[in-house]
Amino acid sequence: MAVRTPLQTQSPPAVPEKVNQRFYHLEPAILPEVYHGDRVRAFLDAFAAILRHSNYRFAVEMYARTSSKCGNCAVSCQVYQATGDPKDVPCYRTNLLLDVYRRYFTPLGDLQGRLLHLEPLSEARIDEMAELFYRCTACRRCKLECPMGIDHGLMTHLGRYVLSQAGVAPKGLVVSVREQLEGKTANTSAIPFPALVDTLEFLSDEVRELKGAPAAFPIDVMDAEYIFYPAVSDYLMEADTLMGNAAVLQAAGISWTIGSGYFDGINYGLFYDDWVLERIIGKLVSEAQRLNASKILVGECGHAARSARQFVPTFGGDGVLPVVSIIELTYQLLREGRIQLDPDAITEKVTYHDPCNIARSGWIVDQPRHILRSFVHDFVEMNPHGAQNYCCGGGGGLVSLDETFDFRMQVAGKTKAEQIAASGAEIVATPCANCKKQLRELVDYYKLPVQIVGVHDLILRAIKL
Amino acid sequence: MPLWMVIARGPIFRFALAVFVLGLLRLLLLTLWGMLQSVRQAGDQRIPYGKLLRETLSWIFPFGQLVRTRRIYSFASFGMHLGILGAAIFLGNHLDILRANIGLAWPAIFKPVLDGLSVITILAGIYLLLYRIYVPSSQKLSKRMDYLLLILILNLFISGYVAGQTWNPIPYDGLMLFHTLNGLAIALLAPFTKIAHCVLFPLIRLGSEIAWRLTPQGGSRAVRTLYGPDGRRI
């Protein structure tokens, strides 16, 4: 294996000024005419409507009263660590929104505003919020360090939601969601269903070629135990992951299906808008109900797994379906002895990257490690890992925004690149489509001799069919 | 005892205590009510109470957290909180005032121990103040009230500590007036500033978790409120 050059000596370019300025385009405001383009009024109205129809208000109230602004969150934020810009401290960002709340939604703030003639919310402040809320990767690592327990990830989520309803959202996310919810193909990658069928047939043949036995990709099977929702981009970019998924399900004799009516696990609503979030969850559940599936199975995708797991019980209507991650299921099947993995199939040194959306809460931390250790001889950990992991740098939807490339490489992903280099691993396995895309771009950018794969890509190499 | 001290330790103390206790109690009850309402509205009411309790306790007794990051800052902050709680609640002189006004008190802590805590609090307070002034990330976060509260606490502890020493060079009555006014100011500000965390702290992690429990149709209702019954397109 090639000798690794320490990342620090590869001298990635200093963060250019343009990376510290606006790096993405905003969707033109979709505001009713009544606002006459007044974004300040639109922002305040959106904030008021969201507080009225959600559970955020008392949390915002609590944060506004107790935020001690100690800055402890700064030590855990990889964006701040990379830039050293005080504006990247999570608490600073959170307080931008809290200041609006204090000023316009509390009696004391209203009184102060009137008596002291405080500066009102301005277009410039809205621009600053838009910029900073989309420099956050929503990894929620800072929450672990806040002595008060303020969830800055929640505030990023809320801030983006308010901005979205005031007509400010990144074009990359909006265009994908528009196709998913209002387009003909009903998925974020705009894959027509006939093309999907061709892909699945191809993948099935590939498994036969690789393993000497076929693995079916069933479509529209009624009464299956699982309906399967991978990140739809896997159908375009992660063939090995999907073949690994199908091989596991085939080997264990699991009853599963893909729905022809809806087959996309991606839910960008988690990144920027609860209205979008609830509509996408509604589509997942409707398709499952149409096919009378018993459970929802989510593929290797961190945010898709978290959004389904966390919000199907909320938006899924009556008779809530259980949500299972493919990692959980594979782990269970392995423990039950229903799949066999060849312990000699993987000879490279492997490490595992924890996707924030499934690891930060401690939900999926040990399971993938049990799976990998069961057939990978040379497994090493990055430090820190698990619930304390560093984000890949493309979280919170940033990886889907091409405009953020320089920022993701030079700022948000820098710490992760250093971690990967320090691990000495030849393969990084991670069960997340977004993380994989970001990590591949990172290892290319920093010229690290590392391969980025899904957990099921390795399983595919080792599974006995 | 000078007349001003009689008034400050009597009716003004009772007023400040009432604002402090009732103000914080109001906040606590409103927060609990908000939480209860939110849990009722939530589509998913499964809250991991045990996990949240463990996390909260790990910060109320943060011995394991102090050495993880920013050790000096963490120890300074912890020391200052310890000093504030110790001196405010367990100093014999304070308990005498409390007993005289509401007929309620508890055993005091040995004064030399509290003196030691006061010194720690003063040193910690100075460090935290300098940190806010000179460290850019902290400076950017800080507002006038953040400095004011730290200065009030430092005033309170320095004057209280010096007044209790035999070598005190400052006239006792004047120093006590300064000490008392600072103490009353802190009590009066508590319900309206971040000092409110003294009662809300145990609820914040639980509150964050509950806030993530969204309300069914909450997004659709917000859109209808903003854009009318036909909603909007993406």
Side-chain angles (χ1 to χ4, degrees):
Chain A
M1 189 191 156
V3 176
R4 211 176 302 279
T5 312
L7 196 66
Q8 288 81 355
T9 64
Q10 292 184 14
S11 59
V15 179
E17 194 55 33
K18 75 182 180 70
V19 175
N20 284 324
Q21 294 172 351
R22 179 174 298 173
F23 54 79
Y24 61 91
H25 302 294
L26 302 174
E27 180 76 348
I30 318 166
L31 299 178
E33 285 180 5
V34 65
Y35 290 117
H36 302 295
D38 181 351
R39 287 199 300 155
V40 171
R41 200 179 141 205
F43 185 92
L44 292 173
D45 280 0
F47 202 176
I50 287 166
L51 291 176
R52 183 176 157 200
H53 295 294
S54 72
N55 275 342
Y56 296 122
R57 180 157 200 151
F58 86 93
V60 173
E61 174 81 21
M62 234 179 0
Y63 293 170
R65 287 187 180 280
T66 59
S67 174
S68 66
K69 290 164 273 180
C70 70
N72 215 36
C73 47
V75 297
S76 63
C77 176
Q78 63 205 60
V79 172
Y80 173 72
Q81 285 172 1
T83 65
D85 184 345
K87 286 188 170 184
D88 284 325
V89 176
C91 204
Y92 177 81
R93 189 176 56 239
T94 288
N95 269 284
L96 289 178
L97 194 61
L98 292 181
D99 283 345
V100 178
Y101 177 79
R102 291 185 188 107
R103 169 75 173 78
Y104 290 96
F105 297 94
T106 65
L108 193 62
D110 185 48
L111 190 66
Q112 282 177 335
R114 287 169 198 272
L115 293 180
L116 305 176
H117 302 289
L118 297 180
E119 192 182 337
L121 179 64
S122 62
E123 293 266 349
R125 185 48 65 97
I126 291 174
D127 285 341
E128 185 182 15
M129 281 192 272
E131 180 68 18
L132 295 183
F133 282 128
Y134 282 97
R135 284 172 72 89
C136 170
T137 65
C139 75
R140 299 172 79 204
R141 192 167 192 271
C142 47
K143 186 190 169 205
L144 302 174
E145 300 300 339
C146 179
M148 287 290 164
I150 290 176
D151 187 343
H152 299 292
L154 177 76
M155 293 304 289
T156 290
H157 179 82
L158 175 59
R160 290 179 176 193
Y161 180 20
V162 175
L163 285 165
S164 169
Q165 288 303 333
V168 181
K171 197 170 185 176
L173 298 182
V174 173
V175 168
S176 297
V177 166
R178 186 178 293 145
E179 181 60 28
Q180 186 179 24
L181 290 175
E182 295 172 357
K184 283 182 184 171
T185 62
N187 65 83
T188 47
S189 293
I191 302 174
F193 182 66
L196 177 78
V197 174
D198 287 347
T199 302
L200 296 180
E201 286 171 1
F202 168 77
L203 294 177
S204 188
D205 291 343
E206 280 287 297
V207 176
R208 188 200 312 269
E209 206 167 287
L210 281 170
K211 311 302 295 185
F217 286 85
I219 297 174
D220 281 352
V221 175
M222 291 298 296
D223 305 320
E225 184 177 3
Y226 294 98
I227 181 165
F228 183 53
Y229 293 110
V232 77
S233 53
D234 281 6
Y235 291 117
L236 299 174
M237 295 157 60
E238 304 293 346
D240 283 8
T241 305
L242 286 172
M243 288 191 288
N245 297 156
V248 166
L249 299 171
Q250 181 80 27
I254 299 292
S255 153
W256 68 291
T257 188
I258 294 167
S260 63
Y262 190 75
F263 46 86
D264 187 359
I266 286 176
N267 194 334
Y268 288 155
L270 182 68
F271 299 146
Y272 82 102
D273 194 317
D274 287 357
W275 174 55
V276 170
L277 176 68
E278 85 180 33
R279 290 177 69 188
I280 295 172
I281 295 289
K283 295 196 84 159
L284 291 183
V285 173
S286 295
E287 184 68 352
Q289 288 170 339
R290 181 180 75 83
L291 296 172
N292 200 30
S294 307
K295 297 172 190 166
I296 290 171
L297 179 63
V298 185
E300 287 198 4
C301 184
H303 91 275
R306 177 180 161 210
S307 57
R309 171 84 158 204
Q310 192 168 342
F311 298 112
V312 163
T314 299
F315 303 124
D318 298 331
V320 171
L321 294 173
V323 175
V324 179
S325 153
I326 186 75
I327 296 291
E328 287 181 294
L329 180 59
T330 299
Y331 170 63
Q332 179 197 329
L333 297 174
L334 186 68
R335 289 192 66 179
E336 292 170 358
R338 295 169 67 183
I339 55 173
Q340 304 297 321
L341 302 176
D342 177 1
D344 299 320
I346 309 293
T347 54
E348 299 96 327
K349 182 185 274 193
V350 177
T351 189
Y352 176 78
H353 163 71
D354 291 276
C356 302
N357 278 307
I358 57 177
R360 191 72 67 218
S361 64
W363 172 31
I364 296 178
V365 172
D366 295 333
Q367 303 93 320
R369 290 177 166 79
H370 282 294
I371 295 170
L372 290 170
R373 286 182 192 279
S374 74
F375 70 103
V376 173
H377 288 299
D378 196 358
F379 179 81
V380 292
E381 289 284 13
M382 283 187 266
N383 186 31
H385 59 266
Q388 300 270 349
N389 78 314
Y390 278 110
C391 174
C392 62
L398 296 195
V399 76
S400 304
L401 309 176
D402 291 341
E403 306 91 312
T404 66
F405 180 81
D406 287 344
F407 174 77
R408 286 188 283 112
M409 296 301 108
Q410 296 165 25
V411 175
K414 184 168 172 279
T415 308
K416 180 52 69 175
E418 288 168 353
Q419 270 194 305
I420 291 172
S423 76
E426 297 162 272
I427 293 178
V428 177
T430 185
C432 176
N434 285 348
C435 295
K436 278 186 280 191
K437 179 173 184 283
Q438 163 74 0
L439 294 180
R440 282 185 189 130
E441 290 176 355
L442 266 185
V443 299
D444 282 351
Y445 185 83
Y446 287 105
K447 298 181 174 52
L448 301 176
V450 181
Q451 192 187 355
I452 308 296
V453 300
V455 171
H456 283 79
D457 301 36
L458 296 180
I459 291 174
L460 178 67
R461 284 167 60 182
I463 196 164
K464 296 171 183 173
L465 282 183
Chain B
M1 188 183 290
L3 179 62
W4 69 262
M5 199 177 283
V6 175
I7 295 171
R9 291 182 171 188
I12 295 181
F13 173 79
R14 284 197 292 276
F15 174 70
L17 186 67
V19 171
F20 181 82
V21 172
L22 294 178
L24 291 177
L25 188 64
R26 172 183 166 273
L27 279 185
L28 186 65
L29 292 176
L30 283 176
T31 303
L32 286 170
W33 177 250
M35 279 184 168
L36 195 64
Q37 291 292 98
S38 297
V39 172
R40 279 187 189 152
Q41 291 182 91
D44 178 7
Q45 299 180 349
R46 299 166 303 168
I47 312 282
Y49 292 105
K51 178 172 173 269
L52 293 166
L53 180 63
R54 283 193 297 279
E55 284 177 12
T56 302
L57 288 174
S58 80
W59 283 101
I60 290 180
F61 304 102
F63 308 112
Q65 314 281 7
L66 295 177
V67 293
R68 286 179 55 223
T69 54
R70 292 205 306 180
R71 291 179 184 180
I72 300 174
Y73 189 100
S74 301
F75 275 101
S77 176
F78 180 63
M80 194 178 80
H81 281 82
L82 210 60
I84 291 170
L85 285 173
I89 301 175
F90 294 108
L91 181 68
N93 294 358
H94 292 168
L95 292 173
D96 289 344
I97 298 171
L98 200 63
R99 191 180 291 109
N101 280 281
I102 61 171
L104 185 69
W106 42 83
I109 289 181
F110 193 40
K111 188 168 177 296
V113 174
L114 288 180
D115 276 351
L117 277 178
S118 296
V119 172
I120 290 172
T121 305
I122 291 164
L123 294 175
I126 291 169
Y127 174 80
L128 295 176
L129 187 60
L130 293 175
Y131 197 94
R132 279 205 185 272
I133 293 170
Y134 290 111
V135 175
S137 61
S138 192
Q139 187 189 53
K140 183 83 179 169
L141 287 169
S142 303
K143 298 196 172 163
R144 275 173 296 190
M145 189 56 80
D146 298 306
Y147 293 109
L148 178 66
L149 290 177
L150 263 177
I151 290 167
L152 285 175
I153 288 168
L154 276 173
N155 287 345
L156 188 68
F157 272 81
I158 292 171
S159 57
Y161 176 74
V162 172
Q165 305 307 311
T166 50
W167 47 262
N168 170 24
I170 305 169
Y172 181 82
D173 284 354
L175 202 56
M176 266 298 104
L177 174 62
F178 185 70
H179 178 77
T180 308
L181 289 177
N182 275 285
L184 292 174
I186 289 173
L188 290 170
L189 283 172
F192 310 104
T193 61
K194 64 182 179 182
I195 299 176
H197 77 261
C198 62
V199 292
L200 296 182
F201 180 85
L203 300 174
I204 299 174
R205 283 174 174 76
L206 174 60
S208 300
E209 187 68 31
I210 292 172
W212 274 113
R213 310 288 150 156
L214 306 185
T215 52
Q217 302 298 312
S220 302
R221 287 203 298 267
V223 166
R224 282 198 293 273
T225 299
L226 285 167
Y227 295 90
D230 296 333
R232 56 169 271 206
R233 295 183 69 78
I234 300 278

